[in-house]
Amino acid sequence: MSSSLPLFDDADLASQVPADLLRRAAAAEAGHHDELRDADGQLRPAWAAFAAQLGAPLDDLARRQALLARQIQEDGVTYNVYNAQGGPSRPWSLEVLPLLIDADEWLALERGVAQRASLLNAILADVYGEQRVLKDALLPAALVYGHPGYLRGLQGVQPAGGVYLHVAAFDLVRGPDGDWSVVSQRTQAPSGLGYVMQNRLIVSRLFPEAYRGLNVQHLATGYRRLIDTVTELAAGCAGGATPRLALLTPGPYNETYFEQAYLARYLGLPLVEGGDLIVRDDTVYLKTVQGLEPIHGLLRRLDDDFCDPLELRPDSTLGVPGLMQAVRAGKVVLANALGTGFLESPAVHGFLPALSRQLLGEPLALPSLDTWWCGEAAAWQHVRDELGDHVIRPSFPYAGTPGFGSPRLRQSFDAVTGPTLTEAALHTWRDRIDHDPAAYTLQRFLPYAQAPVWQGERIAMRGASVRVYALADGQGGWQVLPGGMTRIATRDAGPVSMQLGGSSLDTWVMTHGPVDTFSMLPARVKLDELEQRQRPVASRTGENLFWMGRYTERTELQLRLAQGLLNLQSADDEPEDAVLEALSALAVANGMVPPGTPSLRQSPRVFERAAMEALADAQATQGAYSLAFNLGALQRCAQVLRERFSSDHARLLRTMGDDFQRLLRQAATPGVPSSDTPAIAGARPLGPFGFASAQPALDHLGMQLAAVTGAQTDRMTRDPGWRLLTVGRLIERLNGYSAFLRAFWQADALRHPQGFDQILTLFDSTITFRARYQRRLEQPALLALLVLDESNPRALACVLRRLRTELGKLPVRSERGGDLLALLPHEGVGASLGELCDPDHGHARVLTLLNRLVDTSWRLSDEVGLRYFAHAEPTDSMVSA
């Protein structure tokens, strides 16, 4: 550990902080190792050094914890909990204090973890090759063949370089004696690397002096090693070109989706789902808006059985049909290789010591917890009477489908801790194991070491386990990431589980030597890599951007319609029937009220109440897809596009819906509905002025939408994805404004001054009209401004001009015939002002034009989807020739 200059001007304060830390920290529970104190009750050297370099009194930890929480909120760091009430996502839980591991201790852990990774890779090479370990009974065949993670279809298939495991993760715990043991290992798609880096970036900035003074080893080299290894191994699949890599995610509803998106951005890889990929001629392709692009390596976060619905789990919608065949053909490198899942069985741990001696010729350096597979009769009988001293774990995963796991194991469970069971429960478990012993594995119960956690004004002690990562170098060696993700329990001796509300710590590994200053930014970029670094836009990304543009514009159109209704309500003059009918028709067509709602002319109170209820109905339970619903859709699009936005832009998109709902709740006032107001299930009475009370929420949303559209215009790269977003907005605008004007034209509402004011408000063109034409409420002037003026961004001619420009800059897709521009008028709107104002036929021509433009917007939307998102081959057809 390197020395450093004192960080306090007051030397007394520098000595008081370690003493204060010791005084305020609770003692570890009896039988648990104390990460903070040594056997004499004094601070361990690393913690004494940390406290001495804290740079402030201990109470300053509360401020830093608040800064940490705010940073997580601003960055949108989340963890999805499927059974959480009120939604799947919650903020990522991170504590302000790190876990400290000294340099000498880490060297021993590093050697043990690297050896284990090498051993697991050797086991995989043998099991999918000669199978000597099975023939010599060093590993029971039932554990391999009976596990769904063993894939028979890959027997005899060797991955590139003989590397099965590119990333291996090990969950380590420290026992009461201070020694480390392995509890579990993850070999399919180890999670957490994104959270590890996120934790490091946040916590290290909170303690910059201590981070430097303790000589904490950096992490970036490990991540570069991972990318370099996969790139080198995938070179053989690329045929001399630079290999293309991607990170395969299960999608935004996966519990660790945030860290997958974060990791993809940090590594510089496109984040893809199974639906983004297609296999043709044994080659994996990424569907992009530019066409199909080959993918040579996949860093996958999808478990084996979901990867290929053709050969693995047939009900999977997350995988890539044909992926297994591409692997067999050697056309793609998967990190990790398919078929590694059987090594995650806890039963395997009991056989690793003998396997290490046989395959590596050396004893296992880092032990597992004592493990007994009950499928061996002698092992089960040895521990049967001591069940209360062990943890019961399933030997096989339960998948709920025939052939997965034990056919008699009907209840899924992760682990049952023997010491917490009553005698009656232990008796029941003995009977279950007797009935099907192979389905169960026992591990010795070990009280986890307890680490310090800041809570209010004191230091609590919580059980902790550390997940560390070994990364293959492609040459048979392993680099162990210096640190990892430490998870802590919710209570002193409770289970360590993020799903059950646990939290995490940054893990600081100190070093005697110099700190690695490597950065993920390469020193020099090869010329042939420059084009690849301008990454193609995946079709799913393009589609989400397209719909983000549509939902943004749709929300703005609904906002203008809501504001128009408010203006009508506050007007001094009695509303004209034609204006009421036009606005009512638009409200129904735009999802502001449910179909069948009486119009403003028929029953204004019923209409107002229905509109107010729909504003806040994010689930569209009454059939109205109003502002809250579209804000939710906009937020969902943003969730899967988080790697495309700046932090400010992403935060704004996340908060708009919540802010709108909050302001609506604040505006709602109790009242008694009138006799002609229908009761709506679950609705809160809003009183006779409920809709007018929504104005603060609408005004605030208007400012936020202006910020969102500004960010879309000025803060996003003009790649094909951005152009699709813009095209989506323009298509929606063409449709919406054409429909606005059509409704008023059909209802003959523009014969009234009130109708004029309303349509100008809807088009956001009131100021321009009055500046040009004062109060001359003549239809030719209106048509000139709202239909034909290419300088007015809301005018139909301007929308069409911008559409022609953006469509012309989209990638050319030669496999689909036809020209998108042919769907639009060659110039202007396809009609002159004279034709539209003709005394005899002008009224009908305007309606014909507006109908044609609405129809054009729908046809154009369909064609964009077919051309850039569907990727059907020209011969693909459901109709016989």
Side-chain angles (χ1 to χ4, degrees):
M1 186 183 307
S2 66
S3 60
S4 63
L5 295 174
L7 299 175
F8 293 99
D9 294 332
D10 186 343
D12 290 336
L13 184 58
S15 63
Q16 288 173 5
V17 173
D20 197 18
L21 175 61
L22 194 60
R23 178 179 58 84
R24 293 209 215 176
E29 292 186 63
H32 295 259
H33 178 83
D34 192 326
E35 293 286 354
L36 185 66
R37 297 178 178 85
D38 61 21
D40 297 327
Q42 301 301 310
L43 290 179
R44 297 186 183 277
W47 279 107
F50 177 86
Q53 300 182 70
L54 189 59
L58 194 62
D59 284 326
D60 190 58
L61 289 177
R63 179 186 66 85
R64 301 188 204 205
Q65 183 80 58
L67 289 174
L68 181 151
R70 187 172 70 185
Q71 189 65 53
I72 286 176
Q73 186 70 29
E74 290 180 353
D75 291 347
V77 189
T78 58
Y79 180 80
N80 293 344
V81 183
Y82 299 119
N83 60 354
Q85 187 175 4
S89 297
R90 74 176 187 204
W92 175 244
S93 185
L94 173 64
E95 304 299 326
V96 67
L97 292 176
L99 179 77
L100 306 180
I101 302 177
D102 67 41
D104 292 333
E105 188 172 42
W106 179 253
L107 287 175
L109 285 176
E110 188 176 41
R111 286 193 295 269
V113 168
Q115 182 202 49
R116 273 184 166 259
S118 181
L119 174 59
L120 295 184
N121 199 77
I123 293 172
L124 288 165
D126 182 84
V127 167
Y128 284 103
E130 296 182 2
Q131 297 191 332
R132 297 299 306 172
V133 297
L134 302 182
K135 296 171 184 175
D136 295 342
L138 293 172
L139 185 63
L143 273 182
V144 177
Y145 297 141
H147 197 289
Y150 170 71
L151 302 183
R152 290 169 173 79
L154 293 179
Q155 183 63 44
V157 177
Q158 186 182 59
V163 179
Y164 291 83
L165 298 178
H166 306 77
V167 184
F170 302 91
D171 292 323
L172 310 181
V173 296
R174 196 202 294 267
D177 57 2
D179 292 336
W180 292 91
S181 299
V182 178
V183 176
S184 60
Q185 52 204 22
R186 295 289 177 262
T187 55
Q188 291 190 77
S191 65
L193 281 172
Y195 287 128
V196 169
M197 182 54 72
Q198 181 74 36
N199 287 358
R200 173 58 54 86
L201 292 176
I202 293 176
V203 175
S204 63
R205 291 170 183 168
L206 295 174
F207 305 103
E209 296 88 357
Y211 185 69
R212 290 191 297 269
L214 292 177
N215 225 29
V216 179
Q217 188 59 275
H218 295 183
L219 301 173
T221 297
Y223 291 84
R224 171 51 58 187
R225 166 55 58 200
L226 175 60
I227 287 298
D228 287 347
T229 298
V230 179
T231 300
E232 291 167 8
L233 294 174
C237 306
T242 301
R244 293 181 181 272
L245 309 182
L247 194 151
L248 176 61
T249 171
Y253 297 107
N254 183 260
E255 60 187 5
T256 59
Y257 179 75
F258 168 83
E259 69 105 3
Q260 296 164 22
Y262 179 88
L263 184 62
R265 175 185 285 186
Y266 184 72
L267 298 177
L269 302 180
L271 183 69
V272 302
E273 297 180 23
D276 298 328
L277 303 173
I278 190 171
V279 176
R280 289 181 178 168
D281 297 326
D282 297 339
T283 299
V284 179
Y285 291 94
L286 173 63
K287 293 183 283 187
T288 78
V289 298
Q290 293 93 339
L292 296 180
E293 299 283 349
I295 292 292
H296 310 106
L298 284 173
L299 183 62
R300 68 181 178 96
R301 294 295 298 275
L302 191 61
D303 284 349
D304 287 357
D305 52 333
F306 290 95
C307 281
D308 186 345
L310 290 183
E311 298 193 50
L312 300 172
R313 185 166 175 160
D315 62 342
S316 171
T317 60
L318 306 176
V320 186
L323 185 61
M324 284 268 285
Q325 180 55 33
V327 170
R328 281 192 291 263
K331 294 295 187 67
V332 66
V333 171
L334 297 189
N336 287 338
L338 293 172
T340 62
F342 70 89
L343 289 177
E344 295 184 351
S345 171
V348 171
H349 290 267
F351 303 95
L352 292 181
L355 287 166
S356 180
R357 290 190 295 270
Q358 176 69 25
L359 296 177
L360 302 183
E362 56 191 33
L364 195 62
L366 183 61
S368 299
L369 292 180
D370 294 339
T371 304
W372 291 266
W373 178 48
C374 298
E376 289 187 321
W380 169 225
Q381 291 305 316
H382 179 71
V383 293
R384 189 179 188 281
D385 294 334
E386 301 172 359
L387 190 58
D389 297 330
H390 295 80
V391 176
I392 307 168
R393 299 184 185 276
S395 302
F396 308 100
Y398 175 75
T401 55
F404 279 72
S406 168
R408 292 182 291 276
L409 186 60
R410 295 305 181 198
Q411 182 178 4
S412 178
F413 69 99
D414 293 324
V416 175
T417 305
T420 66
L421 298 177
T422 64
E423 282 300 324
L426 287 171
H427 179 74
T428 299
W429 275 103
R430 286 191 187 97
D431 287 344
R432 289 181 184 175
I433 298 174
D434 283 337
H435 188 61
D436 188 6
Y440 300 91
T441 297
L442 302 183
Q443 284 186 326
R444 177 173 58 88
F445 173 75
L446 184 73
Y448 288 9
Q450 294 185 341
V453 177
W454 175 258
Q455 286 195 341
E457 298 180 352
R458 69 185 188 94
I459 303 290
M461 304 298 289
R462 296 286 182 264
S465 71
V466 183
R467 175 167 290 187
V468 297
Y469 300 85
L471 310 169
D473 64 7
Q475 306 299 320
W478 297 85
Q479 178 176 343
V480 181
L481 197 69
M485 185 173 66
T486 299
R487 295 172 294 170
I488 61 170
T490 55
R491 58 183 189 275
D492 294 354
V496 176
S497 169
M498 301 302 294
Q499 280 281 353
L500 297 178
S503 190
S504 68
L505 310 176
D506 189 17
T507 308
W508 288 11
V509 170
M510 291 161 279
T511 179
H512 292 304
V515 171
D516 187 355
T517 59
F518 174 80
S519 169
M520 279 294 289
L521 295 176
R524 185 183 297 273
V525 180
K526 298 178 181 178
L527 293 179
D528 62 350
E529 293 179 343
L530 291 176
E531 183 177 353
Q532 183 181 345
R533 288 181 182 274
Q534 300 173 3
R535 291 186 293 172
V537 178
S539 292
R540 177 181 54 86
T541 298
E543 187 170 17
N544 277 296
L545 286 166
F546 177 75
W547 278 100
M548 168 165 277
R550 296 198 65 172
Y551 283 126
T552 302
E553 191 67 24
R554 191 172 295 179
T555 303
E556 186 168 340
L557 290 168
Q558 288 184 332
L559 176 64
R560 297 209 168 278
L561 186 56
Q563 290 171 331
L565 293 170
L566 281 172
N567 292 339
L568 184 69
Q569 187 181 57
S570 62
D572 295 332
D573 300 334
E574 187 70 21
E576 296 287 345
D577 286 349
V579 176
L580 293 177
E581 289 299 327
L583 287 174
S584 299
L586 285 174
V588 173
N590 285 271
M592 299 290 290
V593 295
T597 301
S599 70
L600 279 165
R601 185 173 61 84
Q602 294 169 328
S603 181
R605 291 178 62 82
V606 173
F607 183 93
E608 177 190 6
R609 184 173 181 83
M612 187 64 187
E613 295 295 344
L615 280 182
D617 186 2
Q619 304 301 320
T621 56
Q622 305 298 321
Y625 300 87
S626 192
L627 280 168
F629 177 85
N630 283 299
L631 285 170
L634 187 60
Q635 185 176 12
R636 287 189 291 275
C637 282
Q639 182 181 7
V640 298
L641 294 167
R642 63 172 73 228
E643 74 276 8
R644 304 262 323 177
F645 304 126
S646 67
S647 57
D648 291 340
H649 191 179
R651 184 166 60 251
L652 182 60
L653 290 166
R654 285 196 307 272
T655 58
M656 277 200 308
D658 293 339
D659 289 349
F660 184 66
Q661 294 277 17
R662 175 177 52 80
L663 290 172
L664 284 180
R665 287 194 298 270
Q666 290 176 1
T669 54
V672 179
S674 60
S675 58
D676 65 343
T677 303
I680 300 177
R684 179 178 178 182
L686 297 169
F689 301 103
F691 198 64
S693 67
Q695 184 151 0
L698 296 173
D699 290 344
H700 185 72
L701 178 59
M703 290 188 292
Q704 289 182 315
L705 275 174
V708 166
T709 54
Q712 290 175 354
T713 302
D714 292 336
R715 296 193 175 185
M716 295 182 67
T717 304
R718 262 60 169 176
D719 64 357
W722 178 85
R723 299 202 182 280
L724 284 167
L725 182 149
T726 304
V727 166
R729 285 197 63 194
L730 292 171
I731 287 175
E732 196 69 34
R733 182 174 293 185
L734 178 65
N735 180 284
Y737 284 128
S738 297
F740 279 179
L741 188 55
R742 181 178 63 181
F744 275 72
W745 202 265
Q746 285 176 327
D748 220 14
L750 298 178
R751 295 183 181 276
H752 309 282
Q754 203 173 64
F756 247 80
D757 290 341
Q758 282 291 332
I759 198 66
L760 289 172
T761 298
L762 292 176
F763 272 73
D764 193 23
S765 298
T766 301
I767 294 176
T768 303
F769 186 86
R770 290 177 178 173
R772 292 184 183 180
Y773 306 110
Q774 289 77 45
R775 297 296 299 174
R776 300 179 62 181
L777 307 183
E778 300 176 9
Q779 289 185 9
L782 190 75
L783 293 173
L785 179 63
L786 302 187
V787 177
L788 299 169
D789 189 348
E790 293 194 2
S791 66
N792 178 9
R794 297 293 191 275
L796 303 181
C798 183
V799 174
L800 288 166
R801 176 180 59 80
R802 293 184 60 197
L803 263 175
R804 285 189 285 266
T805 299
E806 298 303 336
L807 289 172
K809 293 180 180 180
L810 286 175
V812 176
R813 295 289 305 279
S814 58
E815 67 269 25
R816 291 201 60 86
D819 187 355
L820 294 177
L821 291 174
L823 298 174
L824 304 178
H826 180 67
E827 61 180 4
V829 295
S832 67
L833 184 61
E835 292 172 330
L836 299 180
C837 296
D838 182 89
D840 298 322
H841 306 289
H843 189 275
R845 286 174 177 168
V846 170
L847 274 181
T848 299
L849 171 65
L850 296 175
N851 284 327
R852 184 169 68 246
L853 293 180
V854 169
D855 180 64
T856 294
S857 67
W858 289 114
R859 290 179 59 200
L860 185 58
S861 176
D862 291 342
E863 283 300 317
V864 168
L866 288 171
R867 181 170 300 222
Y868 294 107
F869 311 143
H871 285 273
E873 291 183 310
T875 57
D876 290 349
S877 176
M878 297 184 66
V879 181
S880 299

